[in-house]
Amino acid sequence: MARKKIIAGNWKMNMTPSQAVELINTLKPLVGNDEVDVVFCVPAIDIIPAVEAVKGTNIHIGAENMYFEEKGAFTGEISPAMLDDAGVKYVIIGHSERREYFAETNETVNRKVLKAFEHDITPIICCGESLTQREQGVTIDFIRQQIKVAFLNVTADQAKKAVIAYEPIWAIGTGKVATTEQAQEVCKAIRDCITEIYDAATGEAIRIQYGGSVSASSAPELFAQPDIDGGLVGGASLKADFGQIVCYNK
Ligand code: PEP
């Protein structure tokens, strides 16, 4: 069965609650595409007004992060039950900015992935190499390790529903998009790794996005690759361009 594309916006630390509603109202008429799952991953404080604002549309609301405990003395954190109750369907886990600035590791990513599944929230699991790693020729080894740890104790049925975002760190927010060949090569290696861990059916089912300076002009070629099932989009998700990215096939 063909995999449905999934195109998600990562708003990062942008948009106040009222700005979020305004942006959603601007983007709503631009992101209608039945062939694509459309997700807006928004700051935690925007989630409740965003869920309200997308009612009756094809847009799903996602979170940008989540903690791996159920509840308790974890000041400032947001639990999976809170996200679930608010109507969140997806959560970005292990974005490179969280790994770099908030000390997230492959192990915390794994704990969060397991928790998200417990609450029926689909994790969008980020992986990606630095420029040094690419230049040293260790990209695939590094990403395989990220994937293997992220999926520890995740069942095949869960893995089939997961989303992986391959985001080369050197391409995030830099305007430097990976070439189509580079993106396809790594997304295929990720699918092969999932097939090795589980089986061919799981490898075939899992959706793998490319992320890193995706724009309206680069999206059509990237998303036409056999192992790229859509994109995780930062900067361009805050503009009308996101409509063109979602409608890349029209
Ligand atoms: C991201 O934040 O996940 C991202 C890919 O950002 P940008 O599209 O701005 O490079």
Side-chain angles (χ1 to χ4, degrees):
M1 214 177 71
R3 294 180 294 273
K4 190 173 183 187
K5 298 275 194 244
I6 174 163
I7 299 177
N10 172 16
W11 287 14
K12 312 196 187 202
M13 197 174 74
N14 294 297
M15 300 292 141
T16 64
S18 52
Q19 289 169 338
V21 171
E22 214 175 294
L23 179 60
I24 288 169
N25 287 335
T26 304
L27 292 177
K28 256 193 234 182
L30 308 178
V31 296
N33 186 350
D34 290 345
E35 290 168 41
V36 171
D37 283 332
V38 181
V39 187
F40 292 1
C41 296
V42 305
I45 197 163
D46 298 346
I47 287 172
I48 289 176
V51 167
E52 192 57 37
V54 301
K55 275 197 180 138
T57 75
N58 61 325
I59 304 164
H60 298 287
I61 294 300
E64 298 176 13
N65 181 35
M66 177 200 91
Y67 200 48
F68 50 70
E69 295 287 355
E70 284 296 324
K71 61 177 182 172
F74 304 103
T75 302
E77 291 294 327
I78 307 256
S79 76
M82 292 170 188
L83 295 182
D84 183 33
D85 188 62
V88 163
K89 300 293 175 216
Y90 295 87
V91 60
I92 299 174
I93 304 283
H95 190 280
S96 61
E97 289 153 15
R98 295 223 48 96
R99 294 179 191 253
E100 185 179 349
Y101 306 130
F102 303 98
E104 296 209 6
T105 63
N106 290 342
E107 287 71 24
T108 60
V109 167
N110 175 240
R111 293 181 72 173
K112 290 182 178 191
V113 168
L114 292 168
K115 260 296 165 212
F117 277 122
E118 266 182 46
H119 288 266
D120 255 336
I121 300 172
T122 301
I124 299 177
I125 305 160
C126 299
C127 61
E129 81 286 4
S130 66
L131 190 55
T132 309
Q133 286 161 335
R134 175 156 287 272
E135 286 171 352
Q136 291 299 314
V138 298
T139 296
I140 304 284
D141 286 346
F142 179 76
I143 286 170
R144 282 174 57 87
Q145 186 176 351
Q146 287 186 315
I147 295 298
K148 284 186 176 178
V149 180
F151 281 83
L152 276 176
N153 299 318
V154 173
T155 67
D157 281 347
Q158 290 171 331
K160 283 188 179 101
K161 293 183 215 140
V163 177
I164 296 173
Y166 165 54
E167 300 205 304
I169 297 168
W170 48 271
I172 297 179
T174 58
K176 217 187 211 183
V177 64
T179 66
T180 308
E181 293 72 27
Q182 287 171 327
Q184 163 58 23
E185 183 197 15
V186 180
C187 289
K188 179 173 188 314
I190 293 169
R191 195 176 305 288
D192 290 346
C193 183
I194 293 292
T195 301
E196 261 172 60
I197 299 171
Y198 298 100
D199 48 40
T202 310
E204 269 306 303
I206 197 163
R207 293 189 289 179
I208 304 173
Q209 299 172 311
Y210 167 78
S213 299
V214 172
S215 64
S217 59
S218 61
E221 195 178 302
L222 283 164
F223 300 168
Q225 299 310 300
D227 289 293
I228 301 181
D229 306 312
L232 182 57
V233 182
S237 70
L238 299 167
K239 302 186 279 191
D241 298 40
F242 194 61
Q244 286 171 266
I245 294 173
V246 167
C247 298
Y248 73 99
N249 56 344
K250 299 210 164 160

